[in-house]
Amino acid sequence: MRRYILLVLLAAMTLAVLGGTGIAEAANPLLITNVGQGAESAMVNVLCKKEKIAATLNDTITASELAGPDGKAKFSFMAVVVGYSGKGMGAAGVNIDQELVRAHELMKKAQSLKLPIIIMHIGGIDRRGESSDRLIKEIFKYANYALFVSAGNYPDSGALDKNKPDNLLTNSLPKGVTLKIVSKINDIVAPLKGIMGL
Amino acid sequence: MKRIAAVLVLAVILAGGAIASAAQPVDTHTPKDVIGKNGMVAAAHPLASAAGIEILKAGGNAIDAAIATGLALNMVEPNASGLGGGGFMVIRFAKTGEVAVIDYREMAPGASTKDMYASEQSSKERWTIEGGKSIGIPGTVAGYFTAIEKFGTKSFKELSQPAIKLGEEGFEVSEMLAGIIKDNYAKMAKYNEPEDVPYFDEYGLPLEKGTTLKNPKLAQVFKELGEKGPSAFYTGWVADAIVNSIQKAGGIMTKEDLTKYEAKMRTPVTGTYRGYEIVSVPPPSSGGTHIIQMLNCLEYYDVNAMGHNSVAFMHTFAEIMKLTFADRTAYMRDTDFGYVPIKGLMDKAYAKTMVNQISPDKIIESPKAGDPAKYESGSTTSFVVVDQEGNICCVTQTINYFFGSGVMATGAGFMLNDEMDDFSTSPTSVSAPEPYKRPLSSMSPTIVLKDGKPFVALGTPGATRIFPSIVQTLVNIIDHGMGMDEAIEEPRFWSNGPSVFAYEDRIDETLINQIAKLGHKPKKYTSYDAYFGAVQGILFDQATGIMYGGADSRRLGEAIGF
């Protein structure tokens, strides 16, 4: 029983450290990056600017760029905006396999640096379909936090009924992840601030 | 058959005294010829066509109406063209049969160098297609004022009224425009403050389908142009806004560069195809020359007997395209900066040397440029306007990629082009950038005559798909007897080398498999893909005086006649 209480206390302290006000006041509180190269990461960046949340947008950041010379994470949180865009991938000059290699390495490095990962899927049904779904299935498992626009839980696949939610987003998350589902993209600001302790 | 049906519809409508328009189609892709007798505008957005019609009905001529249409497009199709870009205007005067071409293509800034895009950094940071370094000196304002001064009957102030109204009162954002704004959101957000971009909402997010888009800042610029003329753009506060925005985004353009811009009158290129006379745009657009060159090649084949989009035709035309693109790379550039063997490229004997290289059962692995000199004897929009007198004004203009460089002239409400991408990045190319050189274009608004009288006027956006799409549309009409819109809506294909055979997926897969067996490398596109352009055209029936307007459902095109 005592061991159980200790574990609960430890978990609470960890959450307090991750979500506490101190972290978000660091020099680089938030990294916004992209898996699938949709335009939504830029939207998150604009919303952060408007709300004066200091953020760095780097859609193609690699694992080696996450830590500073001291070996510590350069950021306090990493928002990973997931959603496949053929045009965006073309502009970035990568295919989906290359994008996934970068993404897996990035997530693993973030985990090793204890950098909390906020998975975002905010493009709705436009960011569902074969390629986006593959990214979702492979990347969501790294989430510490998750923010979704509700329409994204509806499929855009010919094999499934577009009008019925398949809950792929929610079902792809590991257990225990703090999840907030909103109806519009601009509704993510408040929960994002909450996660960052702002 | 299509034309007969259209005449019947016209008869019914005229009997009722209504403005002529064919029955509503089942869907936007169903071919629909719009009919008119007194005037017609075919543009990429119905509100832009309506703006042109408003001017025609107020007594303006085709040139007036074209400018009103172009200004309205800047409001309702801001991703494709506008004051921040350039283009070409082909005008045929009914009374004299003379043709004038106004070249208002952008020019490279004065500090441009041949190797300015040759570095790895340029490639990695996409200098040619976004940000300040991608921007050429805009020509649209100079082009429009040249057209008004030389050939118009109304003032810019009068012609801009429909567009000003659209800017001030707004219009509903279509699903297509909402998608394009979203697709290009990142670059616009990168280079502009969100509140300066009229295509973003109050949160700085892309406008959604069904919302209202207003652009009062651009309306204000139109008003000032109406009061002060082109100097309001090239030397006034708008010039400051352009240069400051470009330099903030890493560009090299100066105010002096803007003052050096001039629109140029050009002599059209002309050729023939099966007795029809083709009149189109000369360099710095490659389009007109290559349309004639490709039609010259096709004239050596019985295209009708080959069958529409048959394997034989697709293979043959793909090979012609590849050889034409090899010539384009080797020779085409701004003729003010060097010699282009235009007459040789358009010579029918030269076309024979191209045709001789084409085998019916295999592809040319390494298409090479020919030697046309031996035969020498001496992401865009397009619209067509015809007035009551029969004058034709055919325009293709652009800011290049959708939403151009992503850089807005701050406070002025228009996007700046990324036309520098049409120069070659290779410093040794004939098409490398140089101070005040015009980048190579494919834009080719074209007029086709039969027995000296107008037969078809058409144009399309679509980058290097432009002139192949024009040729396919003309072949559909001339060789296969299709009506205007039917010819436009037919599936298209394109190739510029052995590595690609792009096609719309409406072309039968079994035919594509046979194409692949010949050595082509098929790449599938959607059924009505804007990649292949968006042709707007007007077909003339000289016997009845009726015009048939067609507008491409690959965008929101609509023709209006009266």
Side-chain angles (χ1 to χ4, degrees):
Chain A
M1 183 64 186
R2 203 177 272 178
R3 198 176 291 170
Y4 176 73
I5 291 169
L6 272 172
L7 278 172
V8 170
L9 276 173
L10 189 63
M13 282 170 70
T14 308
L15 275 176
V17 169
L18 292 179
T21 53
I23 288 173
E25 287 162 7
N28 296 302
L30 179 65
L31 166 69
I32 304 165
T33 190
N34 200 322
V35 174
Q37 303 303 319
E40 290 77 18
S41 61
M43 295 179 203
V44 175
N45 191 44
V46 165
L47 289 171
C48 286
K49 250 191 203 173
K50 278 190 166 274
E51 292 292 323
K52 303 199 182 330
I53 302 170
T56 301
L57 173 66
N58 186 337
D59 281 332
T60 55
I61 194 167
T62 58
S64 64
E65 298 171 280
L66 276 188
D70 58 1
K72 292 180 180 170
K74 289 197 279 191
F75 309 95
S76 302
F77 292 89
M78 180 167 78
V80 181
V81 187
V82 180
Y84 182 87
S85 159
K87 286 179 184 167
M89 296 284 281
V94 291
N95 61 34
I96 192 165
D97 294 324
Q98 292 165 324
E99 182 75 341
L100 276 167
V101 167
R102 181 186 68 87
H104 282 298
E105 288 174 357
L106 188 68
M107 303 298 149
K108 285 173 186 164
K109 182 69 177 179
Q111 287 182 329
S112 74
L113 292 168
K114 310 260 184 260
L115 174 60
I117 297 169
I118 308 166
I119 292 286
M120 293 188 184
H121 187 283
I122 55 175
I125 200 163
D126 289 349
R127 298 295 179 229
R128 288 294 310 275
E130 191 180 342
S131 299
S132 284
D133 289 2
R134 185 177 162 201
L135 300 177
I136 290 163
K137 286 171 187 168
E138 293 207 29
I139 298 304
F140 276 33
K141 64 187 176 195
Y142 296 105
N144 299 110
Y145 303 90
L147 290 174
F148 300 155
V149 166
S150 55
N153 258 330
Y154 287 77
D156 187 24
S157 155
L160 296 165
D161 185 348
K162 279 185 181 184
N163 299 313
K164 287 184 184 167
D166 64 354
N167 297 311
L168 177 70
L169 304 188
T170 39
N171 292 340
S172 299
L173 291 171
K175 284 181 184 170
V177 167
T178 304
L179 166 66
K180 178 72 178 174
I181 299 179
V182 297
S183 57
K184 290 179 179 172
I185 295 176
N186 53 293
D187 293 336
I188 65 161
V189 173
L192 178 63
K193 279 183 165 177
I195 291 167
M196 295 177 71
L198 296 173
Chain B
M1 185 62 198
K2 179 88 190 153
R3 282 179 218 164
I4 294 167
V7 171
L8 288 173
V9 172
L10 178 72
V12 170
I13 290 167
L14 290 182
I19 289 173
S21 174
Q24 286 298 308
V26 177
D27 65 53
T28 59
H29 302 306
T30 303
K32 176 191 76 166
D33 274 348
V34 168
I35 303 156
K37 204 156 185 180
N38 298 306
M40 185 170 282
V41 182
H45 194 289
L47 291 171
S49 296
I53 288 290
E54 184 180 329
I55 297 298
L56 286 180
K57 287 186 173 174
N61 68 13
I63 296 91
D64 295 325
I67 289 162
T69 304
L71 293 171
L73 281 168
N74 198 167
M75 289 292 182
V76 298
E77 197 196 32
N79 50 290
S81 70
L83 299 193
F88 296 91
M89 184 180 290
V90 179
I91 305 162
R92 184 180 187 275
F93 303 97
K95 280 183 183 163
T96 62
E98 288 175 5
V99 176
V101 177
I102 303 175
D103 163 7
Y104 53 99
R105 180 75 163 155
E106 299 86 339
M107 298 194 316
S112 301
T113 58
K114 286 190 171 186
D115 63 352
M116 65 190 286
Y117 301 121
S119 68
E120 266 184 44
Q121 187 186 7
S122 164
S123 169
K124 191 178 170 194
E125 296 177 5
R126 298 155 57 85
W127 287 0
T128 65
I129 56 173
E130 66 170 62
K133 294 182 183 67
S134 68
I135 302 168
I137 307 168
T140 299
V141 171
Y144 284 4
F145 274 92
T146 299
I148 291 169
E149 284 159 17
K150 287 183 181 293
F151 311 118
T153 66
K154 292 185 176 290
S155 67
F156 186 94
K157 189 174 181 178
E158 291 170 288
L159 301 179
S160 57
Q161 291 311 306
I164 288 170
K165 194 176 175 198
L166 285 167
E168 290 178 339
E169 295 180 5
F171 66 98
E172 188 176 313
V173 174
S174 65
E175 185 173 3
M176 184 177 286
L177 179 57
I180 292 170
I181 294 171
K182 200 171 284 178
D183 282 344
N184 293 278
Y185 176 84
K187 70 177 176 185
M188 289 194 278
K190 183 176 176 183
Y191 294 108
N192 308 284
E193 293 303 322
E195 52 273 19
D196 288 332
V197 183
Y199 323 120
F200 295 174
D201 67 13
E202 69 268 32
Y203 303 103
L205 301 176
L207 286 177
E208 296 283 350
K209 175 193 169 191
T211 55
T212 299
L213 196 169
K214 293 182 182 179
N215 194 343
K217 289 176 181 171
L218 181 56
Q220 181 58 33
V221 172
F222 287 170
K223 285 179 186 173
E224 291 194 31
L225 285 168
E227 295 297 328
K228 299 173 188 168
S231 64
F233 185 88
Y234 289 105
T235 61
W237 72 266
V238 179
D240 287 328
I242 292 170
V243 169
N244 291 340
S245 302
I246 291 173
Q247 292 185 353
K248 192 176 155 199
I252 57 173
M253 199 183 298
T254 64
K255 278 193 81 174
E256 188 188 356
D257 288 337
L258 283 171
T259 63
K260 293 207 169 178
Y261 189 83
E262 58 174 331
K264 294 192 174 182
M265 301 305 298
R266 303 278 186 192
T267 304
V269 290
T270 58
T272 60
Y273 179 64
R274 303 194 202 284
Y276 293 85
E277 187 183 354
I278 315 293
V279 183
S280 193
V281 174
S285 175
S286 61
T289 308
H290 292 323
I291 285 171
I292 293 165
Q293 181 181 7
M294 292 193 294
L295 287 171
N296 283 343
C297 292
L298 286 173
E299 212 170 32
Y300 287 101
Y301 297 88
D302 187 343
V303 170
N304 181 268
M306 290 168 102
H308 179 257
N309 280 359
S310 63
V311 171
F313 177 74
M314 288 194 289
H315 167 68
T316 303
F317 189 51
E319 297 298 275
I320 291 169
M321 282 192 264
K322 288 175 197 172
L323 292 166
T324 302
F325 273 103
D327 281 345
R328 185 179 190 271
T329 303
Y331 301 114
M332 278 297 182
R333 59 178 148 177
D334 182 349
T335 42
D336 291 347
F337 284 75
Y339 164 75
V340 178
I342 302 170
K343 288 186 179 172
L345 289 166
M346 297 192 303
D347 188 275
K348 288 188 189 292
Y350 177 66
K352 182 67 178 164
T353 68
M354 295 170 67
V355 167
N356 288 344
Q357 297 176 60
I358 298 171
S359 161
D361 52 11
K362 63 179 181 195
I363 64 164
I364 303 166
E365 295 288 349
S366 304
K368 291 186 174 58
D371 188 5
K374 285 196 292 190
Y375 300 87
E376 290 267 297
S377 53
S379 220
T380 312
T381 193
S382 197
F383 49 98
V384 187
V385 180
V386 181
D387 62 24
Q388 196 154 8
E389 203 172 89
N391 301 307
I392 303 168
C393 189
C394 199
V395 180
T396 304
Q397 58 182 29
T398 187
I399 51 175
N400 206 20
Y401 281 57
F402 279 167
F403 288 111
S405 59
V407 180
M408 292 206 81
T410 304
F414 61 87
M415 302 299 303
L416 292 157
N417 68 82
D418 56 349
E419 216 59 70
M420 297 296 281
D421 187 54
D422 281 353
F423 284 115
S424 170
T425 56
S426 166
T428 57
S429 165
V430 295
S431 191
E434 294 178 66
Y436 305 119
K437 189 177 184 177
R438 281 156 145 87
L440 183 59
S441 171
S442 296
M443 290 185 279
S444 29
T446 297
I447 297 170
V448 180
L449 308 170
K450 177 72 174 166
D451 302 325
K453 292 177 180 170
F455 177 65
V456 183
L458 77 173
T460 182
T464 50
R465 274 78 62 198
I466 287 177
F467 47 91
S469 290
I470 295 268
V471 169
Q472 286 175 73
T473 307
L474 287 176
V475 163
N476 288 344
I477 295 168
I478 294 172
D479 291 294
H480 298 295
M482 293 184 194
M484 188 73 247
D485 205 44
E486 187 183 8
I488 288 171
E489 299 295 349
E490 282 297 307
R492 298 190 195 130
F493 59 94
W494 178 82
S495 176
N496 71 340
S499 62
V500 64
F501 180 94
Y503 69 100
E504 288 180 315
D505 68 3
R506 288 178 290 151
I507 298 177
D508 195 315
E509 203 64 30
T510 56
L511 301 181
I512 295 300
N513 290 339
Q514 291 176 56
I515 279 288
K517 280 181 185 163
L518 293 171
H520 299 279
K521 296 192 170 52
K523 185 178 179 188
K524 190 193 289 189
Y525 284 77
T526 59
S527 301
Y528 293 87
D529 205 303
Y531 178 79
F532 297 92
V535 176
Q536 326 297 340
I538 296 175
L539 181 69
F540 301 81
D541 184 338
Q542 289 297 343
T544 61
I546 296 169
M547 292 177 278
Y548 302 89
D552 208 321
S553 68
R554 291 169 180 85
R555 288 202 195 164
L556 299 173
E558 188 165 309
I560 302 177
F562 71 104

